Amino acid sequence: MSVGRTLFYAGLMTGLFALSIRYTLHIQEQMALGKSFIDALAHLFSFFTIVMNTLVVLCYLASIPFLQKTLAFFRRPFVVGTAIAGILIVMIVYHLLLSATHNPTGISVLTNLCLHYIAPVLFPLWWFFESRKGTMNWQLVPAMTIIPILYLVWIFSRGAITNEYPYGFLNVAEKGVAGVAPTLIVITLLFIVFGSIVVFFDKRYTENP
């Protein structure tokens, strides 16, 4: 089996395993607090880690021949580029800002490791070894900020209604716009930087197959 295929199966199985457990536990926990299934699901998808890991799994699945047409959106270059940049940012932000105060227990220790460290390594490597298509260009880099911007619109809109924010550094109710603005700028710049790196490698692959 090639390196690319090995990385594909490892990445897909890691994502499906960790997300299935995280989905189940989170929804059960939220419903135990009195929330409806829809509210629990909305709360789950307010977390960037869940959004990006789900996007990564969909990109993996979209490369399977019989799913390519159904999941065609997740094969688009800007979506794949967004997933690569996003999953790397998940690892960086978690490690630098959240890991010191986050203390998972039980099975969550394993799912936490999968979602924040293993998946962010496997997906870019899989893309590099197997999934590069030579179809990216520099004009796609700004497009790689669309999904993150939609995510921010979602959590701030939801937060305005529920007063729930997934991360303290994005809690605009407590920190105000000026307090969260630096974080938003840094995250946007990281998407641009990582997106540019992805395009660079994709163009280099095209020019030097």
Side-chain angles (χ1 to χ4, degrees):
M1 185 182 295
S2 68
V3 172
R5 281 287 88 186
T6 301
L7 290 167
F8 169 79
Y9 288 117
L12 179 59
M13 291 302 103
T14 295
L16 290 174
F17 164 76
L19 285 175
S20 62
I21 293 175
R22 193 65 249 153
Y23 284 2
T24 302
L25 292 179
H26 190 93
I27 290 172
Q28 287 178 344
E29 290 166 1
Q30 292 299 305
M31 291 182 71
L33 295 174
K35 291 185 177 181
S36 68
F37 175 80
I38 297 300
D39 287 340
L41 194 63
H43 186 265
L44 174 66
F45 277 92
S46 69
F47 290 92
F48 191 67
T49 295
I50 297 300
V51 172
M52 282 299 128
N53 273 278
T54 300
L55 182 61
V56 161
V57 167
L58 288 169
C59 289
Y60 279 129
L61 292 174
S63 72
I64 298 174
F66 73 89
L67 292 175
Q68 287 182 356
K69 184 175 181 179
T70 303
L71 299 178
F73 175 79
F74 300 99
R75 299 176 61 234
R76 293 186 178 184
F78 91 90
V79 176
V80 175
T82 300
I84 295 171
I87 201 65
L88 289 172
I89 292 170
V90 163
M91 179 170 62
I92 292 169
V93 171
Y94 177 79
H95 187 72
L96 295 180
L97 300 181
L98 301 171
S99 61
T101 57
H102 184 218
N103 298 299
T105 59
I107 191 65
S108 293
V109 174
L110 181 56
T111 59
N112 183 67
L113 179 65
C114 290
L115 297 175
H116 291 113
Y117 293 106
I118 298 176
V121 170
L122 291 177
F123 185 67
L125 286 176
W126 167 70
W127 173 81
F128 182 81
F129 281 102
E130 183 175 83
S131 189
R132 288 176 301 166
K133 304 298 182 185
T135 56
M136 295 187 182
N137 56 63
W138 298 111
Q139 287 73 32
L140 290 176
V141 174
M144 294 179 194
T145 64
I146 293 174
I147 292 176
I149 289 172
L150 291 175
Y151 164 78
L152 292 173
V153 170
W154 156 244
I155 63 166
F156 290 138
S157 298
R158 182 177 180 276
I161 297 171
T162 65
N163 200 35
E164 290 182 338
Y165 295 87
Y167 307 106
F169 53 81
L170 292 179
N171 191 332
V172 71
E174 291 183 359
K175 295 181 176 296
V177 175
V180 302
T183 301
L184 300 182
I185 292 170
V186 169
I187 291 174
T188 301
L189 289 175
L190 284 173
F191 266 98
I192 292 172
V193 169
F194 283 125
S196 298
I197 292 172
V198 170
V199 172
F200 169 79
F201 277 107
D202 196 64
K203 287 175 69 67
R204 183 177 179 85
Y205 168 77
T206 305
E207 295 165 1
N208 301 288

